């Protein structure tokens, strides 16, 4: 293919744990004629880890301390933004405004506020020479992708309820503990749960109307203090969302549940049947009301395209594969800025509902 004859050059802004995960995924995609050529990060220890990693993969990196220098170097065609959440808005606005076009894959959440997401969306509309995709890659986990396929194929009829349970370990330690404060993350329901709100919209084929939530910081981080401040991120919540087609979504989040067999259990129920995806077991179960319990089927979901499982069960690998197709003109961004905005807005509404102990209409936050 002519479009693939030249090497597609990638830069990564923010080379912490997730930035290095992108680096490894891209290395596993090097047969697609791509290379990571530059990185930008103000934190020297992260730079060092990335340089060592790249050397072990036989990739030479140009190293910059900020995204502006990386842009001005004009070394790359594509930029992966995996810096801390609160930096996304400024970085995205600068990349979009830069004369030379750079395609962008931005880690979730798109930004920490709805206003910032909207500003990025409006700016990007003026750049038809750029593809911008949001890193909501849970869609591509094989069991979730299989469940999406069955829902879209009408196997369960009209979707009435989507229930997602995430029972997992606490937030990991990040550079300068930035992820311990709502001001930096947008709040747990934006930072962590935008993935699930994105999936709910996808399964419901609808937009949210209102949100009701209850949550708190009950176990984790209570004894931590950073620069005299105690973390304020919640570690558990229940969120109920009503959609404009009558479908309901529910999220059950617990971040002190290491004793779980599955981290995510996703259930979609329609008027004629039900399906569920279990991660990391990689299992999909489905059945119909008519068939009853005796006829429920269980299958193992796999995707032979995945060459690297990584931190997210191969979904980051598939995300990059699809993003590459879009930037090479073989389709559009699989997860666009509108999707990114809506996932953040649902999280913001849920955070507000907890804070003010009330039902929140999506119109209020949008």
């Amino acid at each position: 293919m002519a479009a693939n004859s030249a090497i597609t050059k990638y830069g990564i802004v923010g080379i912490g744990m997730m930035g290095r995960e992108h680096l490894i995924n891209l290395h596993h995609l090097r047969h697609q004629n791509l290379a990571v050529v530059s990185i930008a990060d103000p934190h020297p220890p992260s730079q060092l880890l990335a340089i060592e990693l790249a050397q072990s993969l036989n990739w030479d990196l140009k190293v910059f301390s900020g995204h502006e220098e990386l842009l001005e170097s004009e070394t790359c065609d594509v930029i992966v933004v995996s810096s801390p959440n609160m930096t996304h808005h400024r970085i995205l606005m600068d990349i979009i405004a830069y004369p030379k076009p750079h395609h962008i894959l931005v880690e979730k959440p798109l930004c920490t506020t709805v206003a910032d997401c909207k500003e990025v969306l409006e700016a990007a509309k003026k750049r038809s020479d750029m593809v911008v995709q949001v890193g909501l890659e849970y869609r591509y986990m094989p069991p979730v992708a299989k469940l999406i396929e069955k829902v879209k194929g009408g196997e369960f009829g009209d979707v009435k309820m989507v229930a997602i349970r995430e029972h997992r370990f606490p937030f990991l330690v990040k550079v300068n503990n930035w992820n311990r404060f709502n001001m930096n993350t947008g709040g747990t329901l934006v930072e962590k749960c935008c993935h699930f709100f994105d999936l709910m919209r996808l399964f419901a084929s609808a937009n949210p109307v209102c949100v009701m939530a209850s949550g708190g910081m009950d176990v984790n981080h209570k004894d931590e203090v950073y620069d005299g401040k105690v973390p304020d991120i919640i570690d558990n919540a229940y969120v109920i969302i009503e959609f404009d087609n009558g479908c309901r979504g529910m999220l059950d989040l617990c971040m002190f549940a290491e004793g779980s067999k599955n981290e995510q259990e996703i259930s979609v129920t329609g008027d004629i049947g039900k399906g569920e995806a279990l991660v990391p077991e990689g299992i999909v179960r489905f059945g119909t009301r008519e068939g009853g319990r005796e006829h429920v089927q269980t299958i193992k979901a796999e995707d032979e395209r995945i060459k690297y499982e990584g931190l997210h069960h191969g979904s980051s690998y598939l995300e990059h594969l699809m993003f590459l197709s879009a930037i090479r003109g073989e389709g559009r961004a699989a997860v666009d800025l509108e999707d990114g905005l809506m996932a953040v807005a649902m999280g913001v509404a849920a955070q507000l509902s907890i804070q003010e102990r009330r039902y929140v209409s999506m119109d209020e936050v949008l």
Side-chain angles (χ1 to χ4, degrees):
M1 182 188 312
N4 290 10
S5 55
I7 286 192
T8 304
K9 295 174 183 163
Y10 281 71
I12 301 177
V13 175
I15 199 77
M17 188 187 77
M18 202 57 216
R20 295 193 295 277
E21 173 74 358
H22 283 296
L23 182 64
I24 300 168
N25 272 285
L26 288 163
H27 188 257
H28 282 277
L29 278 158
R30 63 194 182 281
H31 59 280
Q32 294 278 348
N33 240 4
L34 60 81
V36 177
V37 297
S38 48
I39 59 162
D41 197 302
H43 189 61
S46 295
Q47 290 179 9
L48 263 171
L49 286 168
I51 292 163
E52 285 168 15
L53 175 60
Q55 282 171 347
S56 75
L57 306 173
N58 286 324
W59 270 351
D60 261 340
L61 294 180
K62 287 197 162 55
V63 180
F64 303 101
S65 61
H67 70 281
E68 301 96 337
E69 293 168 46
L70 183 140
L71 276 174
E72 284 156 17
S73 73
E74 301 201 352
T75 46
C76 52
D77 319 299
V78 183
I79 297 178
V80 177
V81 178
S82 47
S83 55
N85 302 2
M86 67 285 186
T87 66
H88 289 186
H89 174 251
R90 180 76 270 131
I91 291 168
L92 291 170
M93 292 301 287
D94 288 349
I95 300 171
I96 292 166
Y98 195 77
K100 172 184 151 72
H102 294 83
H103 302 299
I104 307 167
L105 175 66
V106 55
E107 258 309 322
K108 62 81 200 161
L110 173 55
C111 298
T112 57
T113 70
V114 172
D116 285 354
C117 290
K118 284 185 167 176
E119 204 179 330
V120 169
L121 198 137
E122 286 309 310
K125 280 180 184 168
K126 303 184 181 90
R127 294 302 301 256
S128 56
D129 52 354
M130 294 166 63
V131 174
V132 187
Q133 182 164 313
V134 183
L136 292 163
E137 82 283 352
Y138 279 31
R139 296 173 173 220
Y140 309 129
M141 287 183 186
V144 180
K146 176 56 77 178
L147 187 58
I148 291 169
E149 185 189 305
K150 290 188 169 295
V151 169
K152 298 296 179 200
E155 288 192 32
F156 313 131
D158 281 339
V159 174
K160 300 296 181 190
M161 301 178 85
V162 181
I164 299 180
R165 168 183 287 166
E166 180 169 59
H167 280 196
R168 55 162 276 169
F169 49 89
F171 278 124
L172 301 171
V173 174
K174 298 283 174 118
V175 174
N176 297 330
N177 305 293
W178 67 265
N179 66 339
R180 295 304 195 248
F181 298 95
N182 289 331
M183 190 177 75
N184 298 333
T185 65
T188 301
L189 298 176
V190 171
E191 150 64 15
K192 179 78 219 72
C193 304
C194 56
H195 279 304
F196 306 121
F197 299 138
D198 177 58
L199 291 178
M200 283 181 192
R201 273 184 75 231
L202 206 54
F203 288 129
S205 287
N207 275 319
V209 179
C210 52
V211 178
M212 196 177 354
S214 169
M217 187 169 94
D218 296 328
V219 175
N220 301 336
H221 318 303
K222 293 167 79 116
D223 54 354
E224 298 172 15
V225 180
Y226 305 101
D227 298 328
K229 294 193 204 73
V230 176
D232 59 358
I233 44 169
I234 64 172
D235 58 13
N236 71 101
Y238 291 123
V239 182
I240 295 172
I241 297 176
E242 293 180 357
F243 288 87
D244 58 14
N245 63 353
C247 179
R248 284 184 194 84
M250 183 191 70
L251 173 69
D252 162 3
L253 173 74
C254 179
M255 299 189 68
F256 43 89
E258 289 91 332
S260 304
K261 180 161 190 179
N262 284 296
E263 202 172 302
Q264 285 107 22
E265 298 174 26
I266 299 167
S267 149
V268 181
T269 312
D271 54 358
I272 61 171
K274 173 188 167 174
E276 54 188 342
L278 306 177
V279 179
E281 261 187 295
I283 281 170
V284 181
R285 283 200 202 104
F286 50 97
T288 60
R289 294 176 71 189
E290 199 182 348
R293 192 171 292 160
E294 295 73 40
H295 296 281
V296 171
Q297 294 180 59
T298 301
I299 59 169
K300 180 88 176 155
E302 288 165 325
D303 190 322
E304 71 287 346
R305 292 173 300 170
I306 296 170
K307 304 279 185 287
Y308 174 68
E309 291 280 331
L311 300 176
H312 299 111
H313 316 290
S315 60
S316 295
Y317 181 91
L318 295 174
E319 169 183 57
H320 276 292
L321 200 56
M322 289 175 199
F323 177 54
L324 194 59
S325 292
I327 66 181
R328 287 179 172 167
E330 298 153 21
R332 52 182 288 280
V335 188
D336 63 22
L337 290 170
E338 184 70 33
D339 295 322
L341 161 71
M342 290 305 294
V344 167
M346 291 161 83
V348 166
Q351 291 280 149
L352 184 62
S353 177
I354 291 168
Q355 196 183 319
E356 301 191 354
R357 301 177 75 89
R358 67 180 177 89
Y359 197 73
V360 174
S361 146
M362 286 304 295
D363 288 345
E364 290 180 56
V365 297
L366 285 169

